[in-house]
Amino acid sequence: MKIQNICCIGAGYVGGPTMAVIAQKCPHIKVTVVDINESRIAAWNDDNLNNLPVFEPGLDQVVQDARGRNLFFSTNVDEAINNAEMIFISVNTPTKTYGKGKGMAADLKYIELCARQIARVSKTDKIVVEKSTLPVRTASAIKSILDSTGNDVKFQILSNPEFLAEGTAVDDLLEPDRVLIGGDPTTNEGKKAIDSLVEIYSNWVPREQILTTNVWSSELSKLTANAFLAQRVSSINAMSEICEKTGADVNEVAKAIGMDSRIGPKFLKASVGFGGSCFQKDILNLVYIAKSYGLDEAANYWEQVVIMNNHQKQRFSDNIVSTLYNTVSGKKIAFLGWAFKKDTNDTRESAAIKVADNLLSEQAKISVYDPKVIAERMYADLDYLNSRGSDENRDLLSVHKNPYEACEESHGIAILTEWDEFKDYDWERIYASMKKPAFIFDGRGIMDKNQLENIGFEYYKIGSGE
Ligand code: UDX
Ligand code: UDX
């Protein structure tokens, strides 16, 4: 099947950038990204590229190249589905907050709604591509819904997980380590569907980097990749606590082990804890699947990665309280960073949220500066936890557009995101404006200890026992 029209349902962090790059690289294909959220679609269509709903370095340029030419954003989901030969499903699959599997399993409500909508609207044969991260064997559920319409339309289901990391999404899409396509190679139609997606990516990805597997391997590979990546972060974070007690420095340990080519240097940066929409959700999902097959040892093994991550966030806030003479009640603590990593405005599962929540429960006053995250997002993140009323969250936490203002009169500064600009601030000026002794709690290990101690700061870094 020659693909001329693609529809993508879900204009989020994944669907938006992925489709923008496909459209840029395949000018012969019309790509329509649809979403039920009208304001999100309006933002994607905004003339001012600074207002795009997703901040990603380089994304504005890609959107500018393709938008209006062969890239379109719309809320008319039915029409886009009907016109497309290939439909990507890129809606969110959050962890369930109710019922069976609550707190563990992925909520597939939106996926099912999409499948039902596709089944209802389609008048011609379609290839449906799972882009969202899904539990293994979701494809069979989608297939069963699609095949039960009785209107003679044929569907092929592919799994094409995304491996883009936020903050580097455009580069990851332009030069992926690999593209993974899962399908059914045992039938002619299945093979043709796989080939048509391979052909799309071949417009810019070398053929040997496009892997084709069966659907289940593809679905499980995505969960496995995220579980392994998160496990490395939890492993180095576990070492960071041991370093602090033994006088070792976790950055030195990471460098020493990372030079072993069998281990490699990436994903060994100790931190206040991993965040993002995928790691925790995917591991819990994996744990749930393992448990549902009675594989308790495998489930417990992977669950420990999340337990360690929660511990890391907790001990970071505990350390702030104990260092500030066992009470932060009424004390101002400045947060530099709220996003779950630098170069994104995404805050999902960000460590900053939990650290803030813990400190607010100790009656601290928090003043936040983040270069990209807006105040409403921060309040929504806190309100979602339901630890206190939303008025109280607004009373206790203030959001600033200027980092110097956020730090003024504070007892301590906590660095929660590794934004590059933090390193270049006038730290003498910040020191002068703070209460003394002035503390810095570096949850990302990005600052120069000697420089700060020479100014007069008391400096604490994750994973340093000196
Ligand atoms: C999501 C998942 O979190 C991730 O696991 C998956 O791999 C890809 O999809 P992301 O793009 O970051 O990632 O999510 P989000 O930014 O929340 O975007 C999802 C979009 O789907 C939202 O804009 C939402 O409005 C839209 N949506 C959701 C629909 O258009 N229809 C629905 O029925 C449900
Ligand atoms: C991740 C995967 O990398 C990507 O392939 C997948 O498709 C989606 O999930 P993302 O969550 O966007 O991407 O960012 P990532 O760079 O993986 O970082 C996740 C979290 O781990 C961040 O909070 C980051 O700060 C933290 N991290 C990462 C560390 O604390 N230390 C590290 O060494 C690396």
Side-chain angles (χ1 to χ4, degrees):
M1 193 190 280
K2 188 93 190 141
I3 306 300
Q4 287 170 318
N5 294 281
I6 287 178
C7 160
C8 172
I9 310 178
Y13 283 89
V14 172
T18 307
M19 291 304 127
V21 167
I22 290 183
Q24 189 198 40
K25 292 293 177 185
C26 308
H28 53 287
I29 300 177
K30 181 179 172 190
V31 180
T32 308
V33 191
V34 292
D35 202 295
I36 48 175
N37 182 335
E38 287 181 16
S39 62
R40 211 164 212 193
I41 290 298
W44 280 111
N45 282 324
D46 202 310
D47 288 336
N48 182 350
L49 291 166
N50 289 324
N51 293 337
L52 294 183
V54 171
F55 169 73
E56 277 294 338
L59 180 62
D60 46 357
Q61 191 55 50
V62 179
V63 170
Q64 189 172 36
D65 284 357
R67 197 176 60 186
R69 179 189 73 185
N70 64 326
L71 174 66
F72 301 92
F73 295 93
S74 158
T75 50
N76 195 337
V77 184
D78 284 4
E79 185 183 277
I81 290 174
N82 198 25
N83 290 341
E85 300 93 38
M86 183 177 272
I87 301 160
F88 287 79
I89 302 184
S90 198
V91 298
N92 38 335
T93 49
T95 304
K96 268 185 95 175
T97 52
Y98 55 89
K100 194 159 181 273
K102 178 180 171 182
M104 300 288 271
D107 191 342
L108 299 180
K109 183 168 64 181
Y110 303 124
I111 298 284
E112 179 168 340
L113 283 173
C114 284
R116 289 189 184 279
Q117 190 166 12
I118 295 169
R120 180 170 50 78
V121 172
S122 298
K123 296 196 187 69
T124 52
D125 294 353
K126 315 268 180 220
I127 299 170
V128 175
V129 187
E130 304 172 344
K131 197 47 140 165
S132 305
T133 307
L134 298 167
V136 197
R137 304 204 77 87
T138 304
S140 59
I142 297 181
K143 186 150 180 50
S144 143
I145 293 169
L146 291 174
D147 287 348
S148 307
T149 58
N151 59 2
D152 254 8
V153 174
K154 295 214 164 34
F155 295 99
Q156 284 296 322
I157 321 283
L158 300 177
S159 157
N160 173 220
E162 48 83 15
F163 293 105
L164 60 85
E166 288 177 31
T168 53
V170 173
D171 286 346
D172 294 343
L173 286 161
L174 290 173
E175 290 183 34
D177 287 348
R178 78 322 205 170
V179 168
L180 182 56
I181 298 171
D184 178 7
T186 61
T187 64
N188 251 344
E189 290 74 27
K191 263 194 233 135
K192 274 190 210 150
I194 295 172
D195 288 347
S196 50
L197 188 51
V198 169
E199 196 180 316
I200 291 173
Y201 282 108
S202 301
N203 282 291
W204 77 98
V205 180
R207 184 62 190 81
E208 61 277 12
Q209 274 158 254
I210 306 176
L211 300 181
T212 56
T213 64
N214 76 31
V215 181
W216 325 125
S217 300
S218 170
E219 287 179 341
L220 188 58
S221 298
K222 169 62 198 252
L223 296 184
T224 310
N226 275 347
F228 269 62
L229 290 168
Q231 181 204 42
R232 279 176 73 97
V233 179
S234 275
S235 295
I236 200 70
N237 281 344
M239 297 315 299
S240 75
E241 193 174 13
I242 299 176
C243 287
E244 286 167 30
K245 294 285 180 234
T246 56
D249 183 309
V250 75
N251 289 346
E252 291 177 355
V253 172
K255 186 168 182 193
I257 65 164
M259 285 172 76
D260 185 326
S261 61
R262 293 168 302 176
I263 297 175
K266 292 181 183 166
F267 268 74
L268 287 180
K269 183 81 189 141
S271 68
V272 54
F274 61 73
S277 70
C278 282
F279 279 2
Q280 175 169 315
K281 182 189 71 173
D282 289 356
I283 292 177
L284 292 177
N285 199 340
L286 194 64
V287 169
Y288 184 73
I289 294 168
K291 279 196 178 145
S292 68
Y293 286 112
L295 309 176
D296 288 344
E297 285 74 14
N300 294 342
Y301 176 76
W302 285 110
E303 192 169 15
Q304 201 59 36
V305 173
V306 173
I307 293 173
M308 185 64 223
N309 195 50
N310 290 337
H311 171 67
Q312 189 76 347
K313 293 182 257 185
Q314 183 68 47
R315 79 180 187 88
F316 186 76
S317 53
D318 287 350
N319 180 42
I320 294 179
V321 177
S322 63
T323 306
L324 293 179
Y325 315 106
N326 286 318
T327 175
V328 289
S329 176
K331 289 181 182 167
K332 178 173 168 180
I333 297 170
F335 272 31
L336 293 181
W338 190 270
F340 81 97
K341 62 188 278 196
K342 73 172 180 180
D343 292 339
T344 177
N345 60 347
D346 193 351
T347 67
R348 287 176 288 180
E349 303 295 341
S350 179
I353 304 168
K354 184 66 185 145
V355 172
D357 191 54
N358 291 346
L359 294 174
L360 293 176
S361 295
E362 293 288 335
Q363 299 181 343
K365 292 202 161 96
I366 298 180
S367 53
V368 192
Y369 168 77
D370 185 288
K372 287 289 172 197
V373 181
I374 56 172
E376 291 92 287
R377 184 68 258 153
M378 298 181 199
Y379 291 127
D381 289 338
L382 283 174
D383 290 349
Y384 183 77
L385 296 181
N386 249 327
S387 303
R388 63 196 71 70
S390 68
D391 287 348
E392 207 182 335
N393 281 330
R394 278 152 190 80
D395 272 355
L396 291 174
L397 184 135
S398 59
V399 183
H400 299 264
K401 292 210 158 69
N402 175 317
Y404 296 97
E405 204 182 283
C407 296
E408 251 171 45
E409 298 287 324
S410 66
H411 287 80
I413 297 173
I415 299 177
L416 276 311
T417 313
E418 72 282 21
W419 287 99
D420 290 333
E421 64 173 68
F422 297 164
K423 291 181 240 174
D424 301 328
Y425 289 168
D426 181 346
W427 285 97
E428 306 246 7
R429 176 179 161 195
I430 292 176
Y431 179 75
S433 76
M434 286 174 67
K435 298 253 196 262
K436 307 294 175 325
F439 293 91
I440 296 188
F441 303 92
D442 187 350
R444 295 289 182 164
I446 55 169
M447 303 302 296
D448 182 336
K449 176 182 160 80
N450 288 337
Q451 181 206 350
L452 294 174
E453 286 183 347
N454 285 340
I455 294 173
F457 282 106
E458 299 280 338
Y459 177 72
Y460 290 85
K461 184 176 82 172
I462 279 274
S464 173
E466 280 172 41

